[in-house]
Amino acid sequence: DSLVFWVKSQYDLDPFSKSIFIFCSRRSNRFKVLYWDGEVGYSTRGMKIENYPAKDVNEVQVLTEEEVD
């Protein structure tokens, strides 16, 4: 999967970790979530979010569990 490659090559992160990787579109209104499920493999989910404040789409941000809830 190209997102797995992107996580490894561009950000030097481990796509097999218990992390969730969220990618946004250029317009910052669509997101794709990538995560490793040890039983099934990689899972991806897409979503569209209205009125999301645009940020730098090339920036990596780390969120805590509290920020995700």
Side-chain angles (χ1 to χ4, degrees), residues 20-58:
I20 301 171
F21 301 96
I22 303 172
F23 300 87
C24 68
S25 67
R26 286 186 177 97
R27 295 189 303 171
S28 297
N29 66 340
R30 294 183 187 273
F31 294 84
K32 188 172 273 191
V33 178
L34 171 72
Y35 60 94
W36 173 254
D37 179 347
E39 295 180 20
V40 179
Y42 285 105
S43 293
T44 57
R45 300 287 183 263
M47 64 185 84
K48 183 175 181 179
I49 298 178
E50 299 293 333
N51 301 320
Y52 183 78
K55 296 191 179 204
D56 183 357
V57 296
N58 296 314

